């Protein structure tokens, strides 16, 4: 997901007997669905895990602006250009709220950005894939934002107040993004034969990476149990992935597109779609930095940050001069 | 009969400034010097694109009167060649550094605000209505770009130098904003267009006040590009526009007749 494989720093979920009195009281509040607020006491591991999770999420929003921003200058109609600009701007806004939510846990935005640039904190694997045609913009809205909503709706109920509240706002905008993506796909699929080919090609390339967004299978998810106990992860990777497949396959059918999975079939017995094996080696390689665009994405972000340094310094210098003049005048 | 093609041309000038500058600002997305700046630049770009679309919609109505059904906004934006674009040379200049982008923005915004203020009193009701609506947005644009001109001008030694260089380099494109050609002259006389020449004095004073606070020197008034009736407003552009349009129009032109 936008935050994949978040390290909780704990080897196993602690039993009640192993907890201190404070930890027990904390867990009791979580079990009673009382939100944790920034000034409340919280276990260090909870704080660290949330910082990692929220900042991964924030970085994903910011890095995610790049593959979509790649098509703003080439959008094929003015209406689509305006919608895409508004959408990418929303992603920047999501990044801002999320950085603010993480800052309530005692970490600065600059420190988080430095960690991203140093490769210490990841962002979602999905943004390391290239956007090659206009149909990729439709597919990202449809699949990637669709997957993001799937994960983020439960997070509106997560235990940490500022994160839960940020998610409520983010989800409202994401659902608009998903609709705009699907609307692009509809236009392509109802368009010329070339447009339809473009749509199918984009689905072929984005389908499997979208399924990877939910993270490794539950059996291989070492940190999920503790996160679930803390209610910062409410549904498992596999549950979310299944919901996504179940929701998305009929949408592909409606578009007249073929999901690129020969093993995809409705199982009446399970009441779900069965689907093929995900290439986990590819997933791990992309996470490690070997995806098609990892280097470019990071280079672009680092360059923007470094090229902007003199601007930020100038703004600070001006603010100081201005304040000094005001003091002198007073 | 001749009035409508002239009015169409004039409205395209207004439209193309918005579309072209929005296209430039769109190039910054995801690469701004700070997240807040990224968001703000996109916001300004979105406003300008929205204004451009309102002008294009009106241009179509005008064109339909003498060449029905008139070209829609996408035909106008994506299927015209550079020589048919009517924007100012200033707005097609490349983004350069943040100082270049902000200098371009401030010089344009300050003029744009004054122009829209004058157009809000146009005898053409559609022009007056669009100008009044756009003016509200542009008031905020100029506040922001003036603020950045001051921050960078009166920031560090490096930012001061970059801002001064940017202003000096762009200054030769400012004269075109006040140059009135035959098309505009007729429409000014009819009370439809704004008399751009009359804006030059107030514009200079407003720019000088911001430069003063920014500790920037006012450039000398040398030769002005495009100010003698052979500039962007007449379809004679800098080399930059062709490259911008190549990128902007590629998808739309590769699929003739497709709907998106």
């Amino acid at each position: 997901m936008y935050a994949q494989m978040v390290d909780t720093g704990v080897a196993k979920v602690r039993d009640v007997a192993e907890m201190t009195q404070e930890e027990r009281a904390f867990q009791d509040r979580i079990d009673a669905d009382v939100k944790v607020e920034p000034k409340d006491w919280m276990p260090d591991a909870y704080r660290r895990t949330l910082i990692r999770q929220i900042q991964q999420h924030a970085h994903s929003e910011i890095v995610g602006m790049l593959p979509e921003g790649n098509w703003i200058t080439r959008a094929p109609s003015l209406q689509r250009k305006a919608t895409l600009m508004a959408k990418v701007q929303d992603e920047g806004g999501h990044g801002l709220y999320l950085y603010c939510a993480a800052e309530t846990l005692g970490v600065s935005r600059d420190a988080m950005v430095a960690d991203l640039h140093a490769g210490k904190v990841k962002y979602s694997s999905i943004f390391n894939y290239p956007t090659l045609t206009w149909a990729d913009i439709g597919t990202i809205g449809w699949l990637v934002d669709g997957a993001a909503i799937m994960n983020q709706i439960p997070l509106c109920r997560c235990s940490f107040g500022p994160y839960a509240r940020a998610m409520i706002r983010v989800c409202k905008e994401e659902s608009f993004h998903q609709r705009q993506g699907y609307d692009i796909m509809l236009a392509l699929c109802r368009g010329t034969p070339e447009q339809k080919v473009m749509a199918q090609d984009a689905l072929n390339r984005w389908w499997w990476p979208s399924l990877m967004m939910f993270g490794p299978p539950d059996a291989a998810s070492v940190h999920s149990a503790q996160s679930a106990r803390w209610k910062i992860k409410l549904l498992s990777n596999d549950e979310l992935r299944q919901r996504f497949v179940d929701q998305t396959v009929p949408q592909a059918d409606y578009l007249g597109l073929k999901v690129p999975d020969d093993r995809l079939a409705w199982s009446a017995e399970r009441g779900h779609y069965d689907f093929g094996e995900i290439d986990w080696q590819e997933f791990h390689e992309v996470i490690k930095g070997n995806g098609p665009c990892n280097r470019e994405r990071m280079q672009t972000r680092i360059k923007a940050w470094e090229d902007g340094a003199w601007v930020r310094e100038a703004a600070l210098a001006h603010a100081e001069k201005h304040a000094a003049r005001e003091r002198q005048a007073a | 009969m001749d009035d409508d093609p002239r009015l169409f041309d004039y409205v395209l000038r207004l439209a193309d400034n918005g579309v072209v500058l929005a296209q430039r600002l769109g190039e910054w997305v995801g690469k701004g010097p700070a997240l807040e700046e990224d968001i703000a630049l996109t916001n300004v770009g979105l406003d300008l694109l929205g204004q451009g679309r309102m002008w294009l919609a009106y241009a179509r109505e005008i064109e339909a009167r003498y060449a029905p059904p008139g070209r829609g906004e996408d035909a106008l934006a994506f299927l015209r060649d550079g020589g048919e674009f009517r924007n100012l040379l200033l707005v097609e200049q490349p983004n350069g550094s943040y100082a270049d982008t902000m200098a371009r923005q401030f010089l344009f915004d300050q003029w744009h605000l004054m122009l829209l203020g004058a157009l809000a009193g146009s005898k053409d009701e559609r022009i007056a209505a669009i100008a009044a609506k756009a003016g509200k947005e542009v008031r905020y644009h100029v506040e922001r770009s003036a603020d950045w001109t001051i921050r960078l001008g009166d920031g560090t030694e490096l930012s001061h130098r970059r801002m001064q260089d940017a202003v000096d380099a762009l200054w030769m494109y400012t004269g075109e904003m006040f140059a009135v050609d035959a098309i505009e002259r007729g429409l000014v006389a009819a009370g439809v267009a704004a008399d751009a020449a009359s804006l030059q004095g107030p514009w200079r004073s407003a720019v000088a006040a911001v430069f003063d606070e920014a500790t920037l020197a006012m450039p000398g008034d040398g030769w002005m590009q495009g100010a003698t009736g052979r500039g962007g407003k007449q379809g004679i552009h800098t080399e930059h526009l062709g490259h911008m349009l190549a990128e902007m129009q590629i998808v739309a032109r590769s699929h003739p007749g497709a709907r998106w």
Side-chain angles (χ1 to χ4, degrees), chain A residues 62 73-82 88-89 109 195 198 301 308 310-312 314 318 321 325, chain B residues 23 29-30 33 35-36 39 42-43 46 53 74 78 148 150 154-155 159 162 247-248 251 255 259-260:
Chain A
I62 302 309
T73 54
R74 289 176 289 171
S77 76
L78 294 183
Q79 166 72 53
R80 293 291 184 203
K81 188 191 292 285
V88 178
Q89 185 193 33
R109 202 207 300 181
Q195 284 175 302
M198 200 191 279
R301 283 310 314 158
W310 69 274
V311 177
R312 298 189 300 273
H318 177 75
K321 282 185 196 177
R325 264 175 254 156
Chain B
Q23 178 74 7
V29 171
L35 188 47
E36 288 82 351
I39 294 172
T42 312
N43 217 23
L46 268 171
R53 294 178 67 197
D74 288 332
F78 296 100
W148 271 107
I150 293 165
D154 187 28
S159 73
R162 288 192 172 160
E247 182 171 344
M248 179 172 126
V251 181
H255 298 267
R259 297 167 68 107
W260 300 95

Side-chain angles (χ1 to χ4, degrees), chain B residues 138-184:
Chain B
V138 173
R139 192 161 305 130
Y140 157 76
H141 300 175
V142 73
E143 222 172 83
R144 220 186 84 78
S145 59
D147 185 49
W148 271 107
T149 302
I150 293 165
R151 284 159 136 192
L152 294 178
D154 187 28
T156 61
E157 211 174 297
L158 175 65
S159 73
H160 175 83
R161 197 176 69 233
R162 288 192 172 160
M163 199 65 200
Q164 184 70 58
D165 287 349
V167 165
D168 290 347
L170 291 169
W171 196 253
M172 66 177 176
Y173 298 110
T174 59
E176 189 191 7
M177 298 192 287
F178 309 103
V180 178
D181 65 0
I183 288 180
E184 289 189 19

Side-chain angles (χ1 to χ4, degrees), chain B:
Chain B
M1 175 64 194
D2 286 351
D3 289 354
D4 281 334
R6 270 195 221 114
L7 183 60
F8 174 72
D9 203 280
Y10 184 68
V11 172
L12 276 189
R13 294 177 183 190
L14 302 168
D16 289 344
N17 283 336
V19 171
V20 168
L21 189 50
Q23 178 74 7
R24 281 290 183 227
L25 294 176
E27 293 170 13
W28 269 107
V29 171
K31 303 175 185 111
L35 188 47
E36 288 82 351
E37 284 312 298
D38 225 299
I39 294 172
L41 275 182
T42 312
N43 217 23
V44 173
L46 268 171
D47 284 346
L48 290 168
L49 181 55
Q51 294 168 16
R53 294 178 67 197
M54 287 193 283
W55 292 122
L56 287 176
Y58 185 40
R60 179 194 199 146
E61 289 174 32
I62 300 163
E63 193 180 37
R65 297 202 286 247
Y66 64 93
R71 284 167 287 175
E73 61 171 23
D74 288 332
L76 289 169
F78 296 100
L79 304 179
R80 276 183 300 154
D81 289 336
E84 296 165 272
F85 270 75
R86 293 288 179 263
N87 58 280
L88 296 166
L89 300 177
L90 177 64
V91 295
E92 72 198 36
Q93 297 311 304
N95 287 338
S97 74
Y98 209 62
D100 298 314
T101 290
M102 280 301 141
R104 181 185 66 198
Q105 198 67 38
F106 172 59
L107 296 172
F108 173 75
D109 287 343
Q110 186 62 63
W111 171 83
H112 197 199
L113 181 66
M114 290 176 168
L115 181 87
L116 292 171
L119 286 176
S122 169
K123 282 187 183 159
D124 182 309
E125 281 176 20
R126 292 293 307 281
I127 290 184
I130 297 171
K133 187 169 188 297
K136 287 183 198 143
E137 295 170 344
V138 173
R139 192 161 305 130
Y140 157 76
H141 300 175
V142 73
E143 222 172 83
R144 220 186 84 78
S145 59
D147 185 49
W148 271 107
T149 302
I150 293 165
R151 284 159 136 192
L152 294 178
D154 187 28
T156 61
E157 211 174 297
L158 175 65
S159 73
H160 175 83
R161 197 176 69 233
R162 288 192 172 160
M163 199 65 200
Q164 184 70 58
D165 287 349
V167 165
D168 290 347
L170 291 169
W171 196 253
M172 66 177 176
Y173 298 110
T174 59
E176 189 191 7
M177 298 192 287
F178 309 103
V180 178
D181 65 0
I183 288 180
E184 289 189 19
R185 210 168 295 125
L187 291 167
V188 169
V192 169
D195 179 9
S198 72
L199 303 177
Q200 190 155 22
W203 178 84
R204 259 192 96 90
S205 307
V207 168
V210 170
F211 281 7
D212 187 48
E213 203 181 335
T215 71
L216 294 168
M218 201 75 172
D221 281 325
W223 177 252
M224 288 291 166
Q225 301 296 331
T228 53
R230 289 189 308 278
K233 293 200 283 191
Q234 292 79 28
I236 302 169
H237 291 274
T238 59
E239 289 180 349
H240 305 294
L241 184 71
H243 293 280
M244 174 199 274
L245 293 181
E247 182 171 344
M248 179 172 126
Q249 299 177 334
I250 177 76
V251 181
R253 290 207 184 201
S254 300
H255 298 267
R259 297 167 68 107
W260 300 95

Side-chain angles (χ1 to χ4, degrees), chain A residues 284-304:
Chain A
H284 287 290
E285 287 299 330
V286 174
I287 292 276
K288 265 197 293 187
N290 298 324
C293 298
N294 294 60
R295 286 177 190 83
E296 273 168 79
R297 299 287 184 246
M298 268 309 91
Q299 279 164 3
T300 305
R301 283 310 314 158
I302 292 169
K303 183 171 188 307

